Amino acid sequence: MNEHFIWLDWVVLIAYFVGTLGIGFYFHRRSKSAEGFTAANRSLPGWVCGLSIFATFLSSISFLGIPGRAFATNWNVFVFSLSLPIATLCAVYWFMPYYRRNGEVSAYAALEKRFGPWARVYAGAFYLLSQIARMGTVMYLMALPLNVLLGLDIRLIIVITGVTVTLYAMVGGIVAVIWTDAVQAIVLILGALISLAVLLLGMPEGPGQVFTIAAASDKFSLGSFDLSDWAGPTFFVVLVNGIVINLQNFGIDQNYVQRYIASSSEREAGRSVWLGGLLYVPVSAVFLLIGTSLFAWYQTHPDDMNELRNDVAIRKVADEGITKASPDYAVKVQAAQSKLKDEDLGDRVFPHFIGKRLPPGVTGLLIAAIFAAGMSTVSTSLNSSATLLMTDYYRRYLRPGATEAQAMRTLYLSTLLWGVIGTGVALLMINIKSALDVWWKLSSVLSGGMVGLFLLGLFSRRSGNVAAIAGVVAGVLVIAWMTLSQTDLWPASLEAMRCTLHPYLVIVIGTLSIIGIGLLVSMISPRKAGEGRK
């Protein structure tokens, strides 16, 4: 157990867990119908849904990863945030009204109306699989730093998190998820601001020293502005990547669509999108400033830096299977420490600072914030997945005339099932780390198909089934080529055909390919009369 984590921190952390469960049980009475469980009876204020959208954006990966990236590199990742106003504008004027008029809780019902059942099944099936990976990833990566900070077994942390979030998502439905997200968003922001204040005020020469050290190391750079360079993470590469990914989030992600529907009116839904989308921009800047401040802190606190480097080196040696009983253990640790770069320290630096330097009580609050970031993401995935299983499969194919009781039973069982599976995937990731990389490569292949198909249907009235299928097939092949050709799986004999563009452009080129091929085919084979409808 971390000696810095005292009884006051435990009180804060336990109070957070109790409060989270309390919200779920409090809203149980408003989630006893399928409409209440999946759409909150379309009655929630925009500001609550907006905070929920923001919390969905900021997972535990972002909470720890953004400061780590700024510590190791610069502010290049902030360009992703700068793309949000563009995607938010599109969501307010096109996506949100589109779904509100459609009236369906499922994001993919619109694809069925436009292109037929295959489009709905294709998009819905991949979404469900992606949510399993998403939940497992978030719970696993959230448990890693908490394992260091709390000293608890990583499996226990994953199970406790999985049980808690599944319970309140199952009991309270989307109402509890959205209100809990709103509370968690406030905890996230508060925790970030306190951390930043401690860092700035703890500098030997005052807050200004952070900016002096950071400026000298070019830590505020947004990346190269060279328009001829598409192989590196330049400003423009990150910007177009952010635009496409955020169009996917706002346009086709079930998590966001349910928040459009849950708002009490189209005006409130618009407010939720503006708040959720734009709030992330300054908050992400705060997290980046935390990372930059951590860089300056560890430059001016050599004892902390030595301890951090030693901790990371010990973990690297442990990952190689070398124990303290090994005769050359100390030599291996020292050798590992000498090879460490800032990139190796990035993921560990914020948890290390939280565990060693924050005041009692505040440490508990920050750990609660890490849990909040992860749990908001997992609870959202649980509810949206249960909603899709009920609307797109159970009521659509298995039991079209399902009663309210049958629908609710399906929602409860689906939430429980996906919670168990997500927790199981997180536990498997402890030992099968390579599977994570493979899965995310596959997910990028298929997710590009989803957003491209949606945009094709939204902006082209001529495109029918033939055009849609041709576009998706062509786009997925392009994405597969771009993804696989940048890995060791690509044959040496095809070296000349290897993609040299930055991986951030995979989803961009793939999406444009789907839309472009779809439009081209639609000119040759336009939509037949009666085929789908707008």
Side-chain angles (χ1 to χ4, degrees), residues 293 300 326 392 429 459 512:
S293 301
T300 56
S326 302
D392 287 29
M429 285 181 179
F459 296 117
L512 292 176

Side-chain angles (χ1 to χ4, degrees), residues 249-492:
N249 289 336
F250 283 114
I252 201 67
D253 194 311
Q254 178 69 25
N255 295 324
Y256 295 79
V257 172
Q258 277 184 255
R259 280 144 185 80
Y260 304 159
I261 302 299
S263 299
S264 58
S265 66
E266 187 166 319
R267 184 179 181 184
E268 288 298 303
R271 288 176 175 174
S272 74
V273 176
W274 282 119
L275 176 61
L278 298 186
L279 181 60
Y280 184 79
V281 179
V283 173
S284 66
V286 170
F287 277 100
L288 284 163
L289 187 54
I290 289 173
T292 303
S293 301
L294 286 167
F295 176 82
W297 176 280
Y298 282 88
Q299 292 289 317
T300 56
H301 293 77
D303 289 343
D304 286 2
M305 175 62 88
N306 290 335
E307 184 179 300
L308 172 63
R309 292 176 65 85
N310 188 60
D311 287 351
V312 174
I314 288 173
R315 290 186 176 279
K316 281 187 172 293
V317 169
D319 289 341
E320 296 174 3
I322 302 172
T323 65
K324 290 183 178 180
S326 302
D328 58 346
Y329 178 76
V331 175
K332 291 287 186 181
V333 170
Q334 187 175 3
Q337 190 173 147
S338 65
K339 297 177 183 178
L340 291 177
K341 299 177 182 179
D342 285 346
E343 305 91 80
D344 300 313
L345 307 177
D347 290 339
R348 301 286 181 179
V349 65
F350 197 18
H352 182 269
F353 180 82
I354 293 172
K356 300 294 182 181
R357 285 292 185 171
L358 290 182
V362 177
T363 301
L365 177 65
L366 261 292
I367 292 180
I370 295 172
F371 267 113
M375 291 175 69
S376 64
T377 302
V378 176
S379 64
T380 297
S381 294
L382 284 174
N383 186 269
S384 62
S385 297
T387 298
L388 277 186
L389 284 168
M390 191 272 291
T391 59
D392 287 29
Y393 296 94
Y394 183 73
R395 272 187 167 171
R396 180 70 179 81
Y397 296 107
L398 298 179
R399 197 178 291 273
T403 65
E404 190 70 16
Q406 290 171 330
M408 287 305 301
R409 185 160 55 248
T410 302
L411 287 169
Y412 289 142
L413 291 175
S414 298
T415 304
L416 179 60
L417 175 64
W418 244 242
V420 171
I421 294 175
T423 303
V425 170
L427 292 171
L428 287 175
M429 285 181 179
I430 296 173
N431 298 317
I432 313 176
K433 297 178 183 178
S434 61
L436 178 62
D437 294 333
V438 173
W439 171 254
W440 284 119
K441 284 183 173 62
L442 291 174
S443 70
S444 69
V445 171
L446 297 177
S447 64
M450 291 168 62
V451 66
L453 180 62
F454 172 75
L455 293 176
L456 178 66
L458 183 64
F459 296 117
S460 172
R461 290 181 179 273
R462 288 175 58 88
S463 300
N465 274 337
V466 174
I469 294 172
V472 168
V473 171
V476 168
L477 288 175
V478 168
I479 297 172
W481 162 68
M482 293 182 70
T483 302
L484 295 175
S485 70
Q486 297 182 23
T487 69
D488 295 335
L489 299 175
W490 193 250

Side-chain angles (χ1 to χ4, degrees), residues 112-116 465 527-534:
E112 179 180 14
K113 291 179 179 179
R114 187 64 180 79
F115 296 120
N465 274 337
R527 196 173 90 183
K528 298 177 182 179
E531 180 185 64
R533 60 184 184 277
K534 194 72 172 171

Side-chain angles (χ1 to χ4, degrees), residues 57-58 62 66 69 75-88 222 233-250 256 277 280-281 284 288 504 507:
F57 259 112
L58 193 65
S62 301
I66 292 177
R69 180 73 67 87
W75 279 45
N76 177 243
V77 71
F78 186 59
V79 181
F80 179 91
S81 300
L82 296 179
S83 71
L84 264 168
I86 300 173
T88 303
L222 295 178
T234 66
F235 178 93
F236 298 105
V237 167
V238 178
L239 182 64
V240 295
N241 170 266
I243 291 172
V244 174
I245 286 181
N246 285 312
L247 286 177
Q248 175 177 301
N249 289 336
F250 283 114
Y256 295 79
Y280 184 79
V281 179
S284 66
L288 284 163
Y504 286 172
I507 192 171

